[in-house]
Amino acid sequence: MNSINFTFLGEESLVLQFGKKGTATDITIYDNKNSDTIRTFTCPTSFPEKIQSLLQALNMGEYVIFHVTKLDKFTGEQIIALDALGKTNGLLCHSYDVDRGNLLKMTKGTVVENYKLVEMENLKQEIESLPEISKEGKTKITIDHCFDVKGAGTVILGRANQGEIKQYDNLKLLPEGIDVMVKSIQMHDDTVAEAISPARVGLSVKGISADDVQRGDVLCAPDSMKVSQEITLKYSQNKYFREELRENQAVLVSIGLQAKAAKILSLNPMRLSLVKPAAFDEGDICVVLRPESQMMRIVGSGKII
């Protein structure tokens, strides 16, 4: 079964045309199954109030659908976030009252500049034409929700970013380092024996409770990822962030779906000390944030080295 995951930026009423509403918290997930393909659409429900949900939603999709209804600072913030994360695969569309020329000026020089510009009446057709993007390698499942279910135990919801998951796999929950066994796997409410990247899965697991799990935690093959409280970035400053940074300054960092409080140890190179450990691979993108800023909340970003 094929799986294709989208991040949807825009009015949530539009995404109802493409999927049925499922899990809803500060991010909302819609999905549908058509023939042998499951398509999932994640919306950052609490954006623009919470910048963290935007970064998390963007990390949950292989593709982006960017539907612009106004040209304001939050549209600009979305463009900067897309560029910081290198989200190159996307469709761009807009409402009738948005000036296309001004929109294209805003996206110039960013990854969004190369998104396919789609008329609204053709959007569904374009979505259905996009292929699955899978990634081989050791098992890596990024968790976005976890809860305890009476009779089933602990259930994890997440996306297989890499590799495959099989029933009875023994995995590690990182950054906690807890051993976890996969009791069963579901895709779109159907029980399956295995799932392959980039499948979105529900896993009934043994070895942990919901209290052990945070959004952004990773289920992975043992010894396949790094865990640390200190990271160094090949850093690039957001040119629109005007505030002066200093050593020992408090920031928030976004790594995948992990949001971690941190402080700056040094500016060149950019070294950060995290309050709690994070799980990551070398080359993962870390976005540095100042959520309390009234002007620009995205400070900069870089690959972890």
Side-chain angles (χ1 to χ4, degrees):
M1 187 176 296
N2 293 326
S3 295
I4 307 176
N5 302 291
F6 298 85
T7 301
F8 184 88
L9 305 180
E11 294 181 345
E12 280 196 60
S13 57
L14 179 61
V15 80
L16 287 169
Q17 300 177 31
F18 312 123
K20 182 180 177 181
K21 188 174 183 178
T23 306
T25 53
D26 55 330
I27 54 177
T28 304
I29 300 168
Y30 299 77
D31 62 13
N32 73 50
K33 181 179 177 182
N34 185 5
S35 185
D36 63 345
T37 300
I38 298 172
R39 294 182 177 86
T40 301
F41 305 82
T42 302
C43 303
T45 315
S46 62
F47 180 82
E49 288 77 23
K50 287 179 60 179
I51 185 69
Q52 298 96 310
S53 68
L54 172 63
L55 275 297
Q56 290 172 338
L58 289 175
N59 276 293
M60 290 174 66
E62 302 91 61
Y63 294 98
V64 175
I65 304 167
F66 192 11
H67 177 239
V68 180
T69 56
K70 59 178 70 174
L71 302 181
D72 60 9
K73 70 174 184 178
F74 298 120
T75 300
E77 198 166 49
Q78 289 172 314
I79 293 169
I80 292 167
L82 289 162
D83 199 52
L85 290 172
K87 303 297 289 188
T88 56
N89 298 313
L91 303 174
L92 178 65
C93 54
H94 61 82
S95 58
Y96 291 113
D97 54 342
V98 168
D99 182 271
R100 179 170 294 185
N102 287 335
L103 172 59
L104 296 180
K105 286 180 183 177
M106 286 184 72
T107 64
K108 190 171 179 61
T110 72
V111 293
V112 185
E113 182 179 23
N114 296 314
Y115 283 14
K116 185 172 184 178
L117 191 58
V118 177
E119 301 298 337
M120 288 300 300
E121 59 268 24
N122 299 326
L123 183 56
K124 185 175 182 180
Q125 179 182 343
E126 291 289 344
I127 289 171
E128 293 178 349
S129 71
L130 293 171
E132 180 184 68
I133 301 176
S134 60
K135 187 175 181 181
E136 296 181 351
K138 293 183 178 180
T139 303
K140 180 180 175 182
I141 304 141
T142 303
I143 300 167
D144 51 76
H145 293 86
C146 182
F147 41 86
D148 291 321
V149 178
K150 189 175 181 179
T154 304
V155 173
I156 281 171
L157 303 181
R159 181 179 67 137
N161 289 14
Q162 180 176 293
E164 61 181 9
I165 317 118
K166 295 182 179 180
Q167 188 178 19
Y168 308 125
D169 272 353
N170 291 299
L171 303 172
K172 283 282 188 182
L173 177 72
L174 298 182
E176 290 77 6
I178 304 173
D179 293 319
V180 176
M181 191 266 281
V182 178
K183 296 193 297 182
S184 64
I185 307 167
Q186 284 199 332
M187 293 177 62
H188 199 73
D189 296 327
D190 292 329
T191 299
V192 296
E194 63 180 22
I196 299 172
S197 165
R200 178 163 178 79
V201 294
L203 305 177
S204 175
V205 298
K206 181 180 179 181
I208 53 173
S209 69
D211 291 337
D212 297 319
V213 183
Q214 303 291 323
R215 177 180 294 168
D217 286 355
V218 182
L219 274 181
C220 63
D223 302 319
S224 62
M225 295 184 71
K226 295 181 180 179
V227 174
S228 179
Q229 278 186 255
E230 186 174 312
I231 56 174
T232 302
L233 307 181
K234 188 177 181 181
Y235 178 74
S236 178
Q237 182 94 356
N238 171 15
K239 64 181 180 181
Y240 298 106
F241 184 81
R242 306 298 188 189
E243 300 175 33
E244 184 178 354
L245 295 180
R246 62 186 185 277
E247 291 183 2
N248 293 316
Q249 185 171 6
V251 293
L252 185 74
V253 298
S254 174
I255 305 170
L257 270 64
Q258 300 168 94
K260 304 283 185 178
K263 70 175 181 179
I264 299 172
L265 294 177
S266 69
L267 295 170
N268 188 21
M270 176 62 81
R271 290 193 304 118
L272 298 155
S273 174
L274 312 183
V275 173
K276 294 182 179 180
F280 56 87
D281 289 318
E282 187 175 309
D284 282 354
I285 295 175
C286 172
V287 182
V288 182
L289 305 169
R290 290 292 307 280
E292 71 280 7
S293 175
Q294 297 301 308
M295 298 299 294
M296 173 56 63
R297 295 179 287 184
I298 299 174
V299 177
S301 63
K303 291 184 177 180
I304 300 174
I305 55 177

